[in-house]
């Protein structure tokens, strides 16, 4: 008869896995994907390196889980803002500001999610999440067109341009220490996003 883990064992393993992912996320935010080794993660979690493989078959599998969790949270937050109150232009502007502010408040992790060199498995996840961002932006642009707040356009192309532009604008600031220019950067980035979507100039 095959051995079955008890509920207590399953809870213990789940708790250990969650702690491992959390510590791995901290390591990635501090040193990037390239310098994040299984040993470094194990040390941060206070376990032996071999114990990592009880939860993940490889470093790549752990990295993918870290990326999915962290990027998934950012997509979730952006979706909440873009689906929130206000007309489409207000939500678009608010979504860009919230996304950029969250990135600038956690620069190491945001840089890892957006641009840091990573192994192919993480690169594939990055592309998949860019599609999710594009879908959110396309939805709000489409609504803006339907309500007459934005001119007729290909919402998918505009969404792709927005996704790429926002990430590109943030890359350099994320790689440098925080300074006093954050508010100006957020204002300029928001204005750029609205121009890209064809919003009327105030």
């Amino acid at each position: 008869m095959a051995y079955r883990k008890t509920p207590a064992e399953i809870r213990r393993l789940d708790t250990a896995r969650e702690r491992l992912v959390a510590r791995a996320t901290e390591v990635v935010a501090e040193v990037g994907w390239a310098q994040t080794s299984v040993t470094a993660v194990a040390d941060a979690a206070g376990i032996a390196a071999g114990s990592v493989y009880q939860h993940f078959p490889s470093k790549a599998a752990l990295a993918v889980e870290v990326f999915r969790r962290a990027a998934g949270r950012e997509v979730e937050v952006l979706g909440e803002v873009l689906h929130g109150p206000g007309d489409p232009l207000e939500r678009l502007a608010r979504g860009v500001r919230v996304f950029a502010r969250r990135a600038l408040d956690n620069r190491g992790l945001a840089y890892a999610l957006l641009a840091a060199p990573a192994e192919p498995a993480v690169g594939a996840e990055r592309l998949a999440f860019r599609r999710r961002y594009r879908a959110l932006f396309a939805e709000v642009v489409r609504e803006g067109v339907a309500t007459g707040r934005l001119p007729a356009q290909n919402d998918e192309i505009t969404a792709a341009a927005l996704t790429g532009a926002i990430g590109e604008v943030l890359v350099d600031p994320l790689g440098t220490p925080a300074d006093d220019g954050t508010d100006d950067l957020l204002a300029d980035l928001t204005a750029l996003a609205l121009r890209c979507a064809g919003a009327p100039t105030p």
Side-chain angles (χ1 to χ4, degrees):
M1 182 175 179
Y3 171 74
R4 293 184 179 179
K5 294 182 177 68
T6 66
E9 287 177 303
I10 293 172
R11 285 194 298 272
R12 181 182 59 78
L13 287 171
D14 287 346
T15 298
R17 191 175 194 272
E18 291 299 313
R19 176 177 169 77
L20 185 59
V21 173
R23 297 293 84 78
T25 303
E26 293 170 359
V27 174
V28 168
E30 184 176 349
V31 301
W33 301 107
Q35 299 301 316
T36 298
S37 65
V38 168
T39 299
V41 172
D43 288 345
I47 61 176
S51 297
V52 174
Y53 297 105
Q54 293 179 346
H55 304 279
F56 297 95
S58 64
K59 174 189 169 184
L62 174 58
V64 165
E65 184 66 14
V66 167
F67 187 96
R68 285 177 178 167
R69 298 273 192 100
R73 178 57 184 155
E74 298 311 311
V75 168
E76 180 182 309
V77 170
L78 180 61
E80 289 171 355
V81 175
L82 293 182
H83 292 139
D87 76 19
L89 295 192
E90 292 169 346
R91 284 182 275 126
L92 175 58
R94 192 161 57 246
V96 171
R97 285 195 301 270
V98 168
F99 179 85
R101 170 67 73 181
R102 287 175 61 84
L104 293 166
D105 285 347
N106 196 349
R107 294 174 183 236
L109 182 58
Y111 185 75
L113 296 178
L114 288 172
E119 47 195 278
V122 171
E125 289 296 319
R126 190 178 278 156
L127 288 175
F129 272 87
R130 284 174 68 91
R131 294 187 191 99
R132 292 177 64 179
Y133 288 122
R134 288 203 308 265
L136 288 172
F137 283 128
E139 185 177 351
V140 76
V141 169
R142 192 157 50 245
E143 186 180 345
V145 172
T147 58
R149 297 285 280 138
L150 292 174
Q153 60 193 285
N154 184 318
D155 53 81
E156 295 290 342
I157 290 177
T158 300
L162 282 169
T163 302
I166 293 166
E168 187 64 27
V169 168
L170 289 174
V171 167
D172 281 347
L174 291 176
T176 60
D179 57 31
D180 294 332
T182 296
D183 288 341
D184 289 340
L185 175 60
L186 292 175
D188 289 343
L189 182 55
T190 302
L192 170 66
L194 292 173
R195 288 198 304 273
C196 179
T201 302

